[in-house]
Amino acid sequence: MSNHPTYSETTRKHFYQSLGKLFYAVAIADKVIRPAEVQKIKEKIDEVWIDLDDMHDEYETDMAFQMEIVFDWLQENEPDGQECFDEFVTFYEEHPALFTPKVKSMILSTANAIAGSFAGKNKAELIILAKLNILFRE
């Protein structure tokens, strides 16, 4: 993302927040968020997303943690997973340049890891992963 200096800090913050919504949608696809799924998103943020860019929020926290903040808030408030997925799609369609092939690969890897973190992927999770793959091919 650092190749896109024209994007404001606010847009980049919304980028990470939209990813939090997407990963929540993947985790809640089967109507239950399991501790293994929560642990997997935290691991992926630390292993994969921290190094995407050097953006920090107003508290000097790496912007990637916006994913975890949003995920945790959604988990507390339990909105509909499809609505969260749709909000991600809207952000994706409004800011396609943020979603480079590398970023798309990172998103798919993270989503697959979350879905597979508890007893493999079930039908609901496979459906949302398929929708994500189709979105990225359009």
Side-chain angles (χ1 to χ4, degrees), residues 61-81:
T61 302
D62 193 291
M63 206 66 93
F65 286 107
Q66 287 295 318
M67 287 185 280
E68 186 176 339
I69 292 165
V70 168
F71 186 94
D72 290 346
W73 187 90
L74 293 168
Q75 190 177 3
E76 283 280 318
N77 292 280
E78 301 179 338
D80 179 65

Side-chain angles (χ1 to χ4, degrees), residues 13-57:
K13 185 175 186 177
H14 290 159
F15 166 79
Y16 287 110
Q17 291 172 343
S18 75
L19 292 175
K21 291 175 186 178
L22 171 64
F23 298 145
Y24 170 82
V26 171
I28 198 72
D30 60 357
K31 308 295 182 214
V32 178
I33 295 180
R34 293 177 171 78
E37 293 168 317
V38 175
Q39 183 59 36
K40 186 54 71 176
I41 191 170
K42 292 173 193 266
E43 285 174 15
K44 284 295 197 175
I45 289 169
D46 289 340
E47 294 169 6
V48 178
W49 291 99
I50 289 290
D51 296 329
L52 182 61
D53 64 32
D54 58 359
M55 294 292 295
H56 292 82
D57 65 17

Side-chain angles (χ1 to χ4, degrees), residues 59-127:
Y59 305 107
E60 294 303 315
T61 302
D62 193 291
M63 206 66 93
F65 286 107
Q66 287 295 318
M67 287 185 280
E68 186 176 339
I69 292 165
V70 168
F71 186 94
D72 290 346
W73 187 90
L74 293 168
Q75 190 177 3
E76 283 280 318
N77 292 280
E78 301 179 338
D80 179 65
Q82 184 61 48
E83 287 176 27
C84 291
F85 183 82
D86 293 344
E87 289 177 25
F88 168 79
V89 170
T90 298
F91 184 86
Y92 172 79
E93 291 172 344
E94 290 173 352
H95 305 283
L98 285 171
F99 295 87
T100 63
K102 176 185 175 186
V103 169
K104 288 178 183 179
S105 176
M106 292 167 64
I107 292 169
L108 291 170
S109 171
T110 302
N112 274 289
I114 293 166
S117 64
F118 180 83
K121 298 172 191 142
N122 63 40
K123 184 178 177 184
E125 290 166 332
L126 289 171
I127 289 169

